[in-house]
Amino acid sequence: MSNNRSGVFVGGMLLGAAIGTLTGLLMAPRTGRETRTLLKKSADALPELAEDLSTSVQIQADRLSETALRNWDDTLERLREALAAGIEASQQESQISARQTKLETSSDQPPLLDRL
């Protein structure tokens, strides 16, 4: 969750910097020609700024994706272990139950001397 917040924070900072720059240029005590020249340079830099922002967001998304995959793999491994333990416990219980049934059926028969 903090990775997502830091990506949003960086994006907000870049957007705020761009808006602050634009506001500063418009409010600056320059001639119209100088201001237009600066605005043109700033506008020319916007695609690069957008690309940097896009790269930053992509890096954050990759990190989140890797984290999600690791968590998913860990969850699957724990599930496999739990299933294996459950199957083993079931087999042991089945063997114990079979032994008890065998003992009960053999104890129902009278001793050998009584049968003679």
Side-chain angles (χ1 to χ4, degrees):
M1 185 74 168
S2 67
N3 287 339
N4 188 22
R5 287 185 180 172
S6 65
V8 170
F9 177 75
V10 170
M13 281 194 48
L14 290 174
L15 181 63
I19 291 172
T21 300
L22 182 62
T23 303
L25 288 173
L26 293 174
M27 302 298 283
R30 297 189 194 231
T31 64
R33 180 174 293 171
E34 289 174 349
T35 302
R36 283 190 298 276
T37 303
L38 286 174
L39 285 174
K40 184 176 182 332
K41 288 179 182 178
S42 295
D44 291 341
L46 280 178
E48 185 178 329
L49 179 64
E51 185 177 336
D52 291 345
L53 180 61
S54 173
T55 302
S56 174
V57 168
Q58 183 63 41
I59 289 170
Q60 292 295 329
D62 289 345
R63 286 182 186 162
L64 287 173
S65 177
E66 289 172 7
T67 301
L69 284 175
R70 263 195 314 264
N71 288 342
W72 179 251
D73 288 342
D74 291 345
T75 300
L76 283 177
E77 185 59 32
R78 286 188 306 214
L79 182 59
R80 285 186 188 115
E81 290 172 1
L83 285 172
I87 289 170
E88 183 179 340
S90 175
Q91 289 172 345
Q92 288 176 353
E93 186 65 31
S94 177
Q95 290 172 354
I96 291 171
S97 178
R99 286 185 199 138
Q100 286 177 345
T101 302
K102 187 176 179 182
L103 286 175
E104 288 173 0
T105 57
S106 66
S107 66
D108 290 345
Q109 295 178 356
L112 184 59
L113 291 176
D114 290 345
R115 287 189 285 177
L116 293 176

